């Protein structure tokens, strides 16, 4: 009999769900090679694994977002009552598939805008791996009452968002 030691969970591919996220965040028309999302609104990332699926009883996921030299780390949780005022990662019922996992990254409404890098660290009893999974652009959110750029008027939002030379 040959003994093969258990292996940890290895990430194969990350799907940034750009079409869905761009539609949800009203960033479809910006034409960027990056994922472009608005602060204060969750975005979805799907992780595809090599040999097996995510087991929440064995693995822990820690996400880290970098902007320049600043970073913030947060674990993926199953809590639906997560604060919307801080970075968090939510796993919802039905998000765990046989070899993939969807995670909803929550951005605070006062997060710094700019080009961010997203890492995930997979911790298991056997190993720990960190993966650079995405670069994304975080923008202001004029639809969110919690964002300082909130615009209550749909007319002003349209002008602000859709007209390159418009002013509010």
């Amino acid at each position: 009999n040959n003994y093969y030691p258990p292996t940890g969970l290895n990430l194969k591919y990350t799907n940034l769900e750009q079409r869905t996220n761009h539609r949800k965040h009203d960033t479809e028309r910006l034409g960027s090679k990056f994922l472009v999302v608005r602060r204060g609104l969750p975005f979805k990332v799907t992780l595809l694994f090599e040999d097996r699926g995510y087991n929440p009883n064995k693995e822990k996921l820690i996400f880290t977002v970098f902007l320049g030299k600043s970073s913030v780390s947060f674990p993926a949780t199953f809590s639906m009552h997560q604060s919307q005022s801080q970075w968090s990662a939510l796993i919802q019922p039905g998000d765990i598939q046989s070899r993939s996992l969807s995670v909803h990254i929550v951005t605070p409404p006062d997060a710094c805008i700019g080009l961010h890098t997203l890492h995930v660290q997979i911790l298991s009893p056997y190993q720990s791996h960190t993966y650079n999974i995405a670069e994304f652009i975080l923008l202001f959110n004029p639809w969110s009452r919690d964002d300082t750029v909130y615009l209550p008027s749909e007319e002003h939002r349209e002008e602000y968002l859709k007209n390159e030379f418009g002013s509010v």
Side-chain angles (χ1 to χ4, degrees):
N1 284 349
N2 291 336
Y3 172 72
Y4 297 101
T7 60
L9 187 62
N10 295 306
L11 185 63
K12 181 177 183 177
Y13 177 75
T14 303
N15 182 346
L16 299 180
E17 309 285 351
Q18 281 188 283
R19 181 173 289 143
T20 301
N21 285 321
H22 283 165
R23 192 175 317 114
K24 182 178 177 183
H25 290 256
D26 198 28
T27 56
E28 295 170 292
R29 298 182 214 164
L30 297 179
S32 173
K33 68 177 184 172
F34 295 104
L35 174 64
V36 181
V37 293
R38 297 191 184 280
R39 63 188 187 178
L41 191 60
F43 65 93
K44 181 178 171 182
V45 175
T46 301
L47 307 174
L48 297 119
F49 303 105
E50 281 184 10
D51 301 320
R52 61 180 180 81
Y54 170 71
N55 181 340
N57 297 318
K58 292 183 180 180
E59 287 98 22
K60 185 175 182 180
L61 303 177
I62 308 290
F63 288 87
T64 304
V65 173
F66 296 87
L67 177 65
K69 294 182 180 186
S70 300
S71 67
V72 61
S73 295
F74 45 95
T77 67
F78 289 91
S79 171
M80 296 309 295
H81 304 290
Q82 201 71 12
S83 168
Q84 299 292 311
S85 64
Q86 60 189 17
W87 287 93
S88 57
L90 303 176
I91 301 170
Q92 297 176 350
D95 283 344
I96 300 176
Q97 303 300 319
S98 63
R99 289 179 55 186
S100 68
L101 170 70
S102 293
V103 180
H104 305 267
I105 305 296
V106 177
T107 64
D110 61 350
C112 292
I113 62 164
L115 180 62
H116 292 70
T117 302
L118 180 64
H119 289 188
V120 65
Q121 181 181 22
I122 303 173
L123 300 168
S124 73
Y126 314 109
Q127 64 186 21
S128 169
H129 284 299
T130 301
Y131 300 90
N132 178 346
I133 59 171
E135 288 187 315
F136 66 94
I137 297 172
L138 189 63
L139 298 178
F140 294 117
N141 189 351
W143 284 274
S144 173
R145 292 182 187 276
D146 296 326
D147 195 311
T148 56
V149 302
Y150 172 67
L151 294 170
S153 164
E154 180 64 29
E155 183 180 329
H156 288 153
R157 276 196 305 265
E158 285 295 317
E159 186 174 351
Y160 173 81
L161 295 169
K162 310 280 189 313
N163 184 348
E164 289 183 60
F165 303 103
S167 61
V168 176

